[in-house]
Amino acid sequence: MVEEGDHILAAVSGGADSLCMLMVLLAARQEKGYRLSVVHVEHGIRGEESWQDAAFVESFCRDRGIPARIYHCQAAEYAKAHKMTLEEGARQLRYGFFGQAAAGFGANKIAVAHNRNDCAETMLFHLARGSGLRGLKGISPVRGEVIRPLLCVGRKEIEAYLREMGQGYCHDKTNEEVEYARNRIRHQVLPALEEVNSQAVEHMGQAAFAVAEALELLEGLVQGSEGKYVREQGQGVFISQEVLEEKAFLRTSLLHKAVSKVSGSSRDIAEIHVKQLSGLLEKQVGRKLSLPYGIQAERTYGGIRLEKRQRQGIPSQEGPGKQEGAFGNGGWVLPPEGMLEIPCFGYRICTKIIEKMPKFGEIPKKMYTKWLDYDKIKGIMRLRTRQAKDFFIISADGKKKKLKNYLIDEKIPRQERDSILLLADDVHILWAIGWRISEDVKVTEHTKRVLEIQVQHY
């Protein structure tokens, strides 16, 4: 989780779990040789009590000399505006602020306080929703820059530690409300399981770890087979019907991965969707299926084509638009660090600058996540549709290729070419979203600063 020289940003709500995590990180800081800072997000949900939690965290950090940033937002309004549940909206805002704080502090790790009980709750939640074997691995100890130092510790142990240290903490009354699905699992399901066996939560944690190890092995098999059955095709992917010849687990894993690749996220891709997709392979050419994130699956000759449907209402490039973000004659201005929403495309675009170049082999190979060499970008970055004389750099020696010729070579239908979103600087096209990036801004071993761009669909 942690290496000497890291800078850890601890996400602290003020509750027992996060305060315990902060105290543990603080105690181990000198021995492990990392820097530590704190972020707290006040969601605007619980009125004065919520502000008191923020003040508690701020005071705790100030007394111990820990740099901290406090963010305030209105999660309920955000969730309503984006047609999410309150839990989903709050989580999205929270992690957005985590990213901002990490960039501001220069932190390369974000520590969150999920514990063994949270892992058990997540396993049961996924099992109930029908997400399949992957859901049974619970919560990962490390996922990208996010680490979970308390994942091997139970909630009772956390509370016992705080009592032993004489440390008070905040109580979020909304955690007691059983109208939330996870709270029902926490207060009704897990206690019943612990009556069956007092070590039920610990055993579920062990099972989650075993499932994660097995999935890691199976993922190697899936990656080895992906090139045989799945290939990118335009702004989507094509899945060969020959995948039906594979064993059920490998087949469903390949289908799940293909849908996740097109959507940009595996959230809400449940087992039922994979079964529907597998069933489509048995149907006649021309049959279609609608999946989450606006994805359409169509049975074609030789297999299935998956593509995310374009939203309507793309603004003209001839004048100011009314979409969210800084839109002008040249499109939407993309900040190097932050978030931009483009509703007419259904895109939420998150950016950050990575000052410490990661290992070269870690460059993401996802359709909707790209790393660019930030120091090679010229001027302001804008997101727009195509214009005359647009071009890519297609080789290390600077050879150019007109965007028009690239779209023709990729056999993109003429009627779709004006709806492809492009990232451009003041000189040329940097990235055709969902397609290629320009050769001159690719990350190399000589890159000093990386611009990470994540395009999320909503």
Side-chain angles (χ1 to χ4, degrees):
M1 288 189 180
V2 179
E3 298 176 353
E4 187 173 353
D6 280 346
H7 187 147
I8 301 175
L9 176 70
V12 180
S13 68
D17 298 347
S18 64
L19 200 64
C20 174
M21 179 188 72
L22 178 57
M23 292 174 69
V24 170
L25 290 172
L26 191 60
R29 179 173 57 175
Q30 187 172 352
E31 178 188 349
K32 300 296 182 182
Y34 53 77
R35 289 183 291 163
L36 183 64
S37 54
V38 164
V39 60
H40 173 88
V41 179
E42 188 274 309
H43 295 94
I45 297 172
R46 296 179 292 120
E48 181 61 27
E49 184 181 284
S50 186
W51 282 81
Q52 289 174 0
D53 291 354
F56 173 83
V57 173
E58 190 171 27
S59 175
F60 184 96
C61 293
R62 184 175 57 248
D63 292 345
R64 291 158 181 80
I66 308 171
R69 291 197 178 178
I70 311 296
Y71 293 93
H72 299 274
C73 60
Q74 296 297 322
E77 293 180 10
Y78 180 86
K80 183 178 180 180
H82 293 84
K83 298 180 181 179
M84 300 176 176
T85 66
L86 181 57
E87 287 179 291
E88 290 171 335
R91 184 186 186 280
Q92 192 166 96
L93 283 170
R94 190 162 57 248
Y95 275 86
F97 286 125
F98 292 172
Q100 288 185 34
F105 283 121
N108 64 319
K109 302 282 177 67
I110 300 174
V112 295
H114 292 119
N115 58 53
R116 194 162 58 204
N117 289 68
D118 294 314
C119 184
E121 292 164 12
T122 299
M123 291 175 71
L124 292 172
F125 183 69
H126 287 168
L127 188 63
R129 292 180 67 204
S131 59
L133 188 59
R134 285 178 179 80
L136 294 181
K137 72 176 183 178
I139 302 174
S140 300
V142 178
R143 186 171 184 176
E145 72 275 12
V146 176
I147 62 174
R148 297 179 170 91
L150 295 189
L151 201 58
C152 59
V153 181
R155 188 163 288 129
K156 291 178 181 178
E157 296 171 271
I158 289 170
E159 293 173 354
Y161 171 78
L162 292 174
R163 284 196 301 271
E164 183 181 338
M165 300 297 290
Q167 177 61 57
Y169 52 89
C170 302
H171 295 270
D172 183 348
K173 293 178 181 178
T174 61
N175 288 332
E176 309 299 321
E177 298 172 0
V178 293
E179 59 261 33
Y180 296 112
R182 287 184 180 271
N183 284 356
R184 287 198 296 275
I185 294 172
R186 176 177 302 175
H187 298 298
Q188 297 174 356
V189 180
L190 281 181
L193 289 174
E194 288 178 320
E195 289 180 8
V196 175
N197 188 309
S198 61
Q199 293 183 300
V201 170
E202 183 176 352
H203 292 163
M204 291 174 71
Q206 293 169 355
F209 184 78
V211 170
E213 285 191 321
L215 281 172
E216 187 176 352
L217 178 62
L218 292 167
E219 184 61 26
L221 296 175
V222 174
Q223 288 181 354
S225 303
E226 188 175 14
K228 182 178 178 182
Y229 301 111
V230 182
R231 68 175 185 270
E232 292 187 17
Q233 188 180 78
Q235 288 187 289
V237 300
F238 175 80
I239 306 168
S240 170
Q241 65 188 25
E242 293 177 0
V243 74
L244 289 172
E245 299 172 7
E246 289 289 354
K247 296 288 187 182
F249 181 85
L250 185 57
R251 180 177 69 249
T252 56
S253 296
L254 286 164
L255 294 175
H256 187 279
K257 191 170 184 178
V259 178
S260 300
K261 188 173 186 178
V262 176
S263 69
S265 173
S266 61
R267 286 175 62 86
D268 299 320
I269 307 300
E271 188 173 10
I272 182 63
H273 303 125
V274 177
K275 284 183 176 179
Q276 290 171 344
L277 192 59
S278 185
L280 187 62
L281 283 165
E282 306 279 3
K283 292 182 168 56
Q284 67 268 35
V285 171
R287 293 292 295 272
K288 296 180 181 180
L289 171 68
S290 294
L291 296 167
Y293 300 100
I295 294 173
Q296 181 170 276
E298 181 179 1
R299 181 68 163 95
T300 62
Y301 293 105
I304 289 175
R305 175 174 168 77
L306 294 176
E307 188 171 36
K308 185 173 175 64
R309 293 190 296 270
Q310 290 286 353
R311 302 291 182 91
Q312 300 300 313
I314 300 170
S316 167
Q317 296 296 313
E318 298 177 355
K322 296 182 180 180
Q323 307 301 327
E324 294 184 34
F327 179 77
N329 291 336
W332 296 269
V333 175
L334 182 69
E337 291 186 313
M339 182 179 74
L340 173 69
E341 290 190 351
I342 306 181
C344 61
F345 280 87
Y347 286 159
R348 179 178 297 111
I349 302 171
C350 302
T351 57
K352 68 177 179 180
I353 295 174
I354 304 172
E355 297 283 354
K356 181 182 176 183
M357 176 62 186
K359 295 177 183 177
F360 188 62
E362 296 178 357
I363 297 174
K365 296 179 175 61
K366 298 179 180 179
M367 186 183 294
Y368 290 99
T369 299
K370 296 297 178 186
W371 281 5
L372 307 182
D373 189 322
Y374 183 60
D375 295 305
K376 293 181 180 177
I377 296 171
K378 310 298 181 185
I380 297 173
M381 294 183 294
R382 300 177 191 275
L383 288 154
R384 58 173 175 80
T385 51
R386 66 174 178 156
Q387 297 177 358
K389 300 182 180 180
D390 277 339
F391 68 90
F392 287 110
I393 301 295
I394 61 168
S395 65
D397 61 2
K399 184 178 178 181
K400 299 179 182 180
K401 184 168 190 174
K402 290 182 179 179
L403 175 66
K404 177 181 178 180
N405 292 338
Y406 171 76
L407 299 178
I408 292 172
D409 291 346
E410 291 294 322
K411 296 181 173 57
I412 299 173
R414 183 187 301 272
Q415 64 271 22
E416 295 181 16
R417 296 172 194 170
D418 288 329
S419 63
I420 295 174
L421 191 63
L422 307 168
L423 175 65
D425 63 7
D426 289 346
V427 177
H428 67 321
I429 301 301
L430 303 173
W431 179 24
I433 307 300
W435 299 79
R436 69 161 296 157
I437 65 173
S438 194
E439 192 73 26
D440 61 326
V441 293
K442 284 186 175 180
V443 170
T444 70
E445 63 270 22
H446 304 296
T447 298
K448 295 180 179 178
R449 293 191 294 173
V450 174
L451 173 68
E452 181 180 87
I453 308 174
Q454 290 185 319
V455 178
Q456 304 168 358
H457 302 279
Y458 69 93

